[in-house]
Amino acid sequence: MRKEKYMKRKYIAALLALFLLGNTMGIGAEVNHIDTPTKGSYVKPPQATLFPVQVLQKTGNDAKRNVWLFLGDGYTASQQEKFIHDVTERVQKMLQMEPYKSYVDGMNIYAIRTPSKENGAGRDANKDGTGGIMKDTFYQVRYNSFGLERLAWFNGKGEERLNLLKQDLEDHYLDPVGKVIQTIILSNSDTYFGGGAAFDAVSSLAAGEAMVIHEASHGFANLADEYNGHPEESPNKTKQTKLSKVPWKEFLGFRGVTLYKYGEGAQKPVAGDCIMNSLYQQHGYCEVCKEHVAEVLNRQLKNEQHHYYMAEPSLTWKETDPLVNGKTVTSENIEEANGKQLVYRTVVKNFTKKTQTYILHLKISGKEGPVKYENTERFHVKPGKLQSLGLVTPVLQELEKGDTLEMSAALESD
């Protein structure tokens, strides 16, 4: 009990110090809610927060949602609307990308306005002491961290301030026992940089939404970079070379997923088309990273969890090499598949505690209507299991351009 009282007094003192520091730095000290929760959600009695909170999206109780928090650094008091605009733009684009798009109703997203005395970002000095740029910003974000120009992190009391405001939000704004799972600092800088670790991330305004997603994925999803050769283990990187023990073995040969060797002792799922490898949002996540992020997002939903994850199915030629992805087959190129077997395939994850049954159906019809091939297969997936499902045809003949393809993959209803 004494320890609890001591910790409470210590926390209040720390918050008071931060509040007073905000005033001395010329930081806005408005302490009120500026938004109300979405109708139907639990509403706490109003309590003051140290800085204004903006609700970018609230879909339900914070204790049953993935709560993300955005903070602005290098935005002056007169630039706070710009901060909200910049964050909103990035959030909207992120929620259009899978698997966030499928989990949009499972995310609550907030922003806290913390004005800085100066705009922009600082720069750590070079090893010879030259090139440093000092900026009086709230979280003291600086790029050129550890001598890497595009690597950035907060300095001084930046991390302490972030943690205090995160706890302040959890204690005084979120629904009971609601927790922030990911914090992103958006730096108002036209220099390209970012950084991610633990459950926090930094991204410059110039780096765009792809950097926000990439750096955040290091935090809440524990995904690794795929552009260097460090052989650490993670959901998307392994030192394992034996195919039966590769973490993503169920995805091998599916939509380009292989065991791509690079660097010294490191393997990753794909050569480059993943946002964890190259920072272009049009890539999105590779199949391995996408499934893992979906699984992490699903955990936080408590009794509102999705029952399963299913990768977008594909129809390809069947290859004998398990690491090779066959050519995608459509009605436009189907005549090239004459003399070959086809495989209609997906990968699913059973999120429940019961065995599930999935149904795959494939039908190929000619231009004049005759059915050239049709088959339906059922697959049983055990609780918590990630499993590749594939319907394989015999060798097909008499296929012609324009043949109609009918395909479906679904969880069998009870």
Side-chain angles (χ1 to χ4, degrees), residues 234-246:
S234 68
N236 61 327
K237 187 178 289 186
T238 185
K239 294 181 285 186
Q240 183 60 248
T241 57
K242 190 173 183 179
L243 297 186
S244 62
K245 294 185 177 182
V246 171

Side-chain angles (χ1 to χ4, degrees), residues 11-250:
Y11 171 58
I12 292 173
L15 287 178
L16 180 59
L18 177 60
F19 176 72
L20 293 174
L21 180 62
N23 286 331
T24 61
M25 292 180 65
I27 297 170
E30 184 181 355
V31 288
N32 65 319
H33 290 158
I34 59 174
D35 287 274
T36 56
T38 304
K39 183 179 180 181
S41 62
Y42 177 87
V43 180
K44 294 174 62 176
Q47 297 186 58
T49 52
L50 286 172
F51 293 92
V53 178
Q54 177 89 32
V55 179
L56 300 179
Q57 169 172 298
K58 181 163 187 177
T59 63
N61 193 298
D62 294 306
K64 300 178 181 179
R65 293 293 183 270
N66 293 278
V67 179
W68 284 37
L69 172 63
F70 282 84
L71 305 166
D73 193 52
Y75 289 88
T76 63
S78 64
Q79 294 176 316
Q80 291 306 296
E81 290 306 317
K82 179 179 186 297
F83 163 61
I84 296 300
H85 173 272
D86 293 341
V87 170
T88 300
E89 186 176 60
R90 278 148 185 76
V91 167
Q92 289 175 343
K93 290 181 179 179
M94 180 185 77
L95 295 180
Q96 293 171 5
M97 175 181 149
E98 291 290 2
Y100 303 102
K101 184 176 181 179
S102 294
Y103 281 86
V104 64
D105 291 337
M107 299 188 70
N108 289 350
I109 305 174
Y110 302 91
I112 296 179
R113 304 170 187 240
T114 50
S116 295
K117 193 169 183 180
E118 294 184 85
N119 65 1
R123 181 185 188 275
D124 281 334
N126 301 321
K127 291 182 179 180
D128 61 5
T130 64
I133 301 173
M134 299 303 296
K135 288 277 189 174
D136 192 354
T137 64
F138 193 83
Y139 301 100
Q140 299 175 44
V141 168
R142 294 187 212 144
Y143 57 99
N144 196 41
S145 294
F146 303 102
L148 299 175
E149 189 73 11
R150 77 174 194 174
L151 178 61
W153 205 239
F154 30 69
N155 293 268
K157 294 186 177 295
E159 186 170 11
E160 180 182 347
R161 293 174 183 176
L162 179 149
N163 288 330
L164 285 170
L165 288 180
K166 185 191 303 184
Q167 187 172 350
D168 183 46
L169 181 80
E170 293 173 348
D171 290 349
H172 299 135
Y173 200 96
L174 300 186
D175 299 321
V177 304
K179 296 293 182 183
V180 175
I181 72 162
Q182 183 62 52
T183 305
I184 300 100
I185 293 179
L186 184 62
S187 176
N188 185 26
S189 173
D190 58 6
T191 301
Y192 182 93
F193 60 72
F199 296 94
D200 303 323
V202 172
S203 177
S204 72
L205 183 62
E209 64 277 359
M211 181 71 85
V212 169
I213 298 168
H214 175 99
E215 300 299 352
S217 299
H218 288 318
F220 83 99
N222 194 34
L223 292 177
D225 286 324
E226 296 181 7
Y227 52 76
N228 59 51
H230 299 165
E232 71 270 21
E233 293 287 337
S234 68
N236 61 327
K237 187 178 289 186
T238 185
K239 294 181 285 186
Q240 183 60 248
T241 57
K242 190 173 183 179
L243 297 186
S244 62
K245 294 185 177 182
V246 171
W248 53 87
K249 62 180 183 296
E250 296 298 321

Side-chain angles (χ1 to χ4, degrees), residues 220-347:
F220 83 99
N222 194 34
L223 292 177
D225 286 324
E226 296 181 7
Y227 52 76
N228 59 51
H230 299 165
E232 71 270 21
E233 293 287 337
S234 68
N236 61 327
K237 187 178 289 186
T238 185
K239 294 181 285 186
Q240 183 60 248
T241 57
K242 190 173 183 179
L243 297 186
S244 62
K245 294 185 177 182
V246 171
W248 53 87
K249 62 180 183 296
E250 296 298 321
F251 282 101
L252 292 174
F254 178 72
R255 294 193 176 279
V257 176
T258 183
L259 193 62
Y260 184 77
K261 298 180 181 180
Y262 73 110
E264 184 176 350
Q267 280 75 229
K268 60 179 181 176
V270 293
D273 291 342
C274 179
I275 204 168
M276 300 312 297
N277 182 86
S278 51
L279 301 180
Y280 298 99
Q281 191 187 13
Q282 62 266 31
H283 287 168
Y285 291 110
C286 70
E287 294 296 332
V288 172
C289 292
K290 189 188 301 181
E291 184 279 325
H292 177 72
V293 170
E295 186 173 352
V296 173
L297 293 174
N298 200 58
R299 289 176 199 158
Q300 193 69 14
L301 301 186
K302 311 300 182 194
N303 59 326
E304 299 178 33
Q305 290 182 339
H306 294 194
H307 293 163
Y308 67 97
Y309 170 85
M310 178 183 289
E312 182 181 353
S314 67
L315 180 66
T316 65
W317 298 351
K318 186 177 184 301
E319 299 284 355
T320 56
D321 187 341
L323 297 180
V324 175
N325 187 73
K327 184 175 182 178
T328 299
V329 176
T330 68
S331 61
E332 292 299 310
N333 69 358
I334 194 169
E335 75 279 4
E336 298 177 27
N338 277 308
K340 301 180 183 296
Q341 289 180 284
L342 304 185
V343 56
Y344 180 51
R345 184 182 173 192
T346 184
V347 179

